[in-house]
Amino acid sequence: MIKKIYNKYHEIIQYAIFGIITVIINLLLYKVLLILKCPYIASNVISYVIASILSYFFNLKYVFHAEILPFRNESIRVLKYFSVRIFSIILDNGLLIVAVEVFKFDKFYSKFPISVLVILITYIFNKTILKKKEGAV
């Protein structure tokens, strides 16, 4: 029964596992940068970029089981993926600014619920960009 459930939701489970790993990397880098007195938005951008690069490879290989494409095609896929990430970092920064500046929430702890929301939104977009098409080689 557990195997049946896993098989049915394998992709979502894998995405969640690697999403958690990526979020941990993002949050740890963000915290280190805050400790080093880097402004919180700059810390967020730096940690997000590094985590996004890692996430691309995690999703490509382990979640969507996609192959590296020839240079031109892979370049297009990378541009699409990071276009979604640009949207995501804008959303992430916007929510972070509202949480910190408007609601006076802690710069670090406000990242947790924001990260969950951004993960859900980017999953939908990433799936359409990275997922191996049926019948594709």
Side-chain angles (χ1 to χ4, degrees):
M1 178 162 163
I2 292 174
K3 186 171 183 166
K4 187 177 180 180
I5 292 169
Y6 178 78
N7 288 337
K8 183 175 182 179
Y9 298 106
H10 177 271
E11 186 177 278
I12 293 170
I13 293 167
Q14 290 293 99
Y15 188 81
I17 290 167
F18 287 101
I20 290 167
I21 292 168
T22 302
V23 168
I24 290 168
I25 292 167
N26 184 347
L27 291 171
L28 288 174
L29 287 171
Y30 179 68
K31 183 66 172 177
V32 167
L33 291 167
L34 289 176
I35 290 169
L36 294 172
K37 304 294 184 205
C38 188
Y40 75 98
I41 293 298
S43 298
N44 193 44
V45 171
I46 293 165
S47 63
Y48 196 88
V49 167
I50 293 168
S52 293
I53 292 168
L54 294 172
S55 177
Y56 178 79
F57 291 106
F58 290 156
N59 286 329
L60 187 70
K61 183 169 175 98
Y62 300 111
V63 177
F64 302 119
H65 305 288
E67 299 292 324
I68 300 290
L69 300 172
F71 180 76
R72 184 174 189 280
N73 295 349
E74 190 65 31
S75 298
I76 291 167
R77 185 161 60 185
V78 167
L79 287 172
K80 288 179 181 177
Y81 178 83
F82 284 100
S83 295
V84 171
R85 290 300 180 160
I86 290 169
F87 165 76
S88 297
I89 191 61
I90 291 168
L91 176 63
D92 195 286
N93 280 335
L95 293 171
L96 190 57
I97 289 168
V98 169
V100 171
E101 302 298 332
V102 175
F103 294 110
K104 306 298 182 200
F105 293 151
D106 181 80
K107 293 173 187 167
F108 180 68
Y109 293 110
S110 60
K111 283 284 294 169
F112 289 87
I114 291 169
S115 294
V116 170
L117 180 62
V118 171
I119 287 169
L120 293 173
I121 292 169
T122 58
Y123 170 77
I124 295 164
F125 291 112
N126 288 336
K127 182 173 178 166
T128 62
I129 293 168
L130 295 179
K131 181 147 176 85
K132 184 176 179 180
K133 301 282 188 245
E134 292 298 320
V137 178

